[in-house]
Amino acid sequence: MVTLGTYIAGTVASAFSWNFLSIALFRTITGLGVGGEYSAINSAIDELIPARVRAESFFMLIEIFLCSFISN
């Protein structure tokens, strides 16, 4: 929940940024939240996804993060 809160706070603060320095700071905070969520998602996949389809789940997760990185 902390990482999700960090992500939301950074995203909302980015919407109200007033110059380049403020948006850089707020996007950094957003990135910290995304990084924390990435770790949490990997743990959830390990615990909840059956072993026979786990590799495909990790591959889809990496693809999603790669597409979001390219689109930003």
Side-chain angles (χ1 to χ4, degrees):
M1 295 305 288
V2 173
T3 57
L4 185 59
T6 303
Y7 171 74
I8 291 172
T11 304
V12 171
S14 293
F16 298 106
S17 60
W18 53 92
N19 62 13
F20 177 76
L21 201 56
S22 65
I23 190 129
L25 174 68
F26 298 145
R27 292 289 290 181
T28 301
I29 293 169
T30 303
L32 292 172
V34 169
E37 282 299 313
Y38 184 76
S39 300
I41 289 169
N42 282 331
S43 296
I45 287 175
D46 283 341
E47 293 178 9
L48 301 174
I49 303 295
R52 67 186 193 304
V53 293
R54 197 172 294 155
E56 290 85 6
S57 300
F58 277 122
F59 182 69
M60 280 194 329
L61 177 66
I62 291 169
E63 282 183 335
I64 290 168
F65 273 95
L66 180 62
C67 289
S68 65
F69 176 75
I70 290 170
S71 69
N72 282 325

